């Protein structure tokens, strides 16, 4: 297969509810939609879901845009491939820049699955018909606001609730939620906001029956995570620490984490996410980056793989967007999201809506 045409679109969508983490607050998101057109005119869609600023990883929308135009597009146009993993291998000549690469890799998988007439989940090797959905809740102005959000999402049927924590917003809000919901599956995510070696908060949280504690320390602090895991029984889950499949192997060898958050965006696409799933050997779940419908559909497809045994951050589009970029939104019902059975991503891009939300277009 050869790609004859690449299009990149910067697309903005407002969030229905402000999302705050330890490092930033967001009301609107801008992601890059990637389309790859084959010789027969068939089109595959992908999404680079980088945050705007370099606070989650080093990437930004601007860095993705620059790397996609100057380095990834020329590689895609020059590479002859039979399977998406071959294109991903060529793109991996670019170091890092995983969010940028993910947009191209997803588009290649969509195109390839459509060409073969199979749903993306089946193309990846997944068999599940539905996947369990969890939600991620940001830091709220007050504990009552957080309780309102938790009540709403549990009433909607979500199977697990993840709560963002940061210094000053940790033990008290989590205890309040735990008192109201003594057994509901809860976990916390610190996005690396605590200094390595700072164990006190996590020792207190260790008594609250959490499913896991996600990314307590900064990404490269693997030894600090390993030392913390020795002191607490709640499994540590690593997110930002695992950019490469090799990071996963290091984490497991060090016992720096016992659960893995696999993110298509963070790892550079479905190809590395699939390898991470195959190699993990510990419980995994699929994390999200507030993806629009294209990236969200890729996440749903990945979750159909057998190793995704924990509920994932694959909430319905409506949790984030009043209107999504696909003609039909992704829906969570009773905490389950259906895995599409039509070829490719299983969702169609809403071209007219996307055109109205596009702030920049690149074609090659
Ligand atoms: O750490 O999982 C994270 C969003 C932006 C940056 C980092 C994270 C998140 C989320 C969102 O938690 C989860 C989702 O997409 O539903
Ligand atoms: Mg996280």
């Amino acid at each position: 297969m050869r790609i004859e045409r690449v299009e990149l679109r910067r697309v903005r969508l407002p969030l229905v509810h402000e999302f705050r983490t330890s490092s930033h607050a967001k009301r609107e998101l801008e992601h890059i939609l990637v389309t790859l057109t084959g010789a027969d005119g068939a089109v595959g869609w992908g999404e680079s879901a980088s945050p705007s600023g370099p606070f989650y990883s080093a990437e930004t929308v601007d860095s993705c845009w620059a790397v996609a135009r100057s380095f990834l597009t020329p590689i895609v146009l020059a590479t002859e491939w039979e399977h998406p993993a071959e294109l991903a291998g060529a793109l991996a000549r670019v170091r890092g820049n995983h969010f940028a690469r993910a947009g191209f890799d997803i588009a290649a998988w969509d195109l390839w699955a459509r060409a073969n007439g199979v749903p993306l989940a089946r193309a990846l090797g997944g068999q599940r018909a539905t996947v369990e959905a969890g939600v991620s809740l940001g830091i709220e102005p007050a504990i009552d606001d957080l309780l309102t959000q938790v009540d709403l999402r549990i009433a909607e049927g979500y199977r697990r609730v993840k709560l963002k924590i940061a210094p000053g917003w940790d033990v008290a809000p989590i205890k309040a939620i735990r008192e109201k919901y003594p057994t509901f599956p809860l976990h916390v995510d610190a996005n690396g906001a605590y200094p390595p070696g700072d164990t006190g908060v996590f020792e207190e949280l260790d008594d609250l029956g959490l499913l896991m504690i996600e990314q307590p320390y900064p990404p490269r602090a693997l030894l600090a995570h390993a030392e913390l895991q020795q002191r607490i029984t709640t499994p540590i889950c690593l997110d930002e620490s695992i950019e490469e499949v090799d990071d996963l192997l290091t984490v497991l060898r060090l016992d720096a984490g016992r659960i893995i958050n696999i993110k298509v965006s963070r790892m550079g696409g479905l190809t590395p996410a699939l390898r991470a799933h195959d190699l993990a050997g510990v419980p995994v779940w699929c994390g999200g980056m507030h993806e629009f419908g294209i990236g969200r559909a890729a996440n749903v497809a990945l979750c159909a793989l057998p190793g995704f045994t924990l509920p994932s951050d694959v909430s319905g589009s409506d949790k984030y967007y009043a209107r999504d970029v696909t003609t039909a939104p992704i829906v969570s019902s009773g905490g389950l999201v259906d895995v599409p059975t039509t070829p490719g991503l299983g969702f169609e891009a809403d071209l007219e809506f996307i055109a109205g939300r596009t702030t920049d277009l690149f074609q090659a």
Side-chain angles (χ1 to χ4, degrees):
M1 183 145 17
R2 193 177 267 280
I3 301 302
E4 306 248 304
R5 186 178 170 81
V6 174
E7 289 182 328
L8 308 174
R9 289 176 173 79
R10 291 176 78 129
V11 176
R12 283 177 189 255
L13 292 184
L15 285 170
V16 293
H17 185 77
E18 185 185 61
F19 194 93
R20 261 214 302 153
T21 68
S22 54
S23 62
H24 54 292
K26 310 188 241 195
R27 290 173 179 278
E28 185 194 54
L29 270 76
E30 182 181 35
H31 289 172
I32 299 170
L33 296 182
V34 178
T35 60
L36 301 182
T37 307
D40 60 356
V43 178
W45 284 80
E47 177 176 338
S48 289
S50 174
S52 298
F55 308 113
Y56 168 80
S57 79
E59 289 184 82
T60 68
V61 180
D62 287 332
S63 76
C64 286
W65 187 251
V67 170
R69 287 174 57 140
S70 303
F71 300 102
L72 301 174
T73 296
I75 291 174
V76 166
L77 292 173
T79 305
E80 179 78 40
W81 53 281
E82 295 305 321
H83 186 273
E86 294 167 37
L87 184 64
L91 292 171
R93 281 172 47 214
V94 171
R95 295 219 197 267
N97 294 287
H98 291 186
F99 284 82
R101 275 154 55 184
F104 289 83
D105 180 75
I106 295 166
W109 275 97
D110 180 36
L111 186 63
W112 188 76
R114 282 178 202 254
N116 287 286
V118 290
L120 180 57
R122 299 290 171 273
L124 292 167
Q127 295 298 330
R128 257 186 258 284
T130 57
V131 304
E132 280 195 294
V135 277
S136 172
L137 301 181
I139 291 167
E140 292 288 332
I143 290 178
D144 274 350
D145 301 303
L146 183 65
L147 271 167
T148 304
Q149 284 297 315
V150 173
D151 291 345
L152 170 67
R153 301 310 171 187
I154 291 179
E156 285 177 344
Y158 284 104
R159 302 292 172 97
R160 174 276 275 153
V161 171
K162 153 168 137 181
L163 305 161
K164 293 287 180 181
I165 57 168
W169 178 267
D170 41 42
V171 178
I174 306 307
K175 264 195 176 147
I177 306 296
R178 190 37 105 208
E179 268 165 32
K180 183 152 184 199
Y181 295 100
T183 59
F184 189 83
L186 290 178
H187 96 243
V188 295
D189 184 0
N191 287 110
Y194 293 82
D198 200 342
T199 58
V201 162
F202 304 108
E203 282 164 327
E204 282 188 73
L205 293 171
D206 202 22
D207 297 329
L208 296 180
L210 301 175
L211 279 179
M212 65 190 97
I213 296 175
E214 186 175 341
Q215 199 70 46
Y217 304 134
R220 303 275 76 78
L222 296 181
L223 296 177
H225 285 108
E227 282 160 21
L228 178 62
Q229 186 68 89
Q230 296 306 305
R231 297 172 80 109
I232 61 175
T233 55
T234 309
I236 292 175
C237 168
L238 292 178
D239 175 359
E240 287 91 327
S241 291
I242 299 175
E243 293 192 342
E244 301 282 344
V245 170
D246 290 302
D247 296 330
L248 173 77
L249 302 177
T250 308
V251 161
L252 295 176
R253 178 68 67 86
L254 290 176
D255 193 24
R258 295 180 179 164
I259 291 179
I260 303 298
N261 166 338
I262 296 180
K263 274 187 191 170
V264 176
S265 296
R266 188 196 69 229
M267 299 206 69
L270 289 160
T271 304
L274 181 57
R275 264 201 83 217
H277 162 272
D278 293 348
L279 290 173
V282 296
V284 303
W285 56 281
C286 175
M289 291 301 299
H290 301 153
E291 283 86 353
F292 300 169
I294 300 295
R296 193 167 293 272
N299 292 346
V300 170
L302 186 72
C303 291
L305 290 163
F308 286 83
T309 52
L310 296 165
S312 291
D313 280 346
V314 288
S315 34
S317 300
D318 67 342
K319 198 252 171 186
Y320 293 115
Y321 307 107
R323 184 167 167 187
D324 206 338
V325 299
T326 46
T327 54
I330 290 168
V331 176
S332 164
S333 170
L336 295 174
V337 175
D338 287 337
V339 177
T341 52
T342 51
L345 288 167
F347 288 87
E348 298 304 323
D350 185 338
L351 296 169
E352 208 173 307
F353 178 64
I354 290 170
R357 293 273 167 192
T358 298
T359 57
D360 207 349
L361 171 67
F362 169 79
Q363 295 174 305

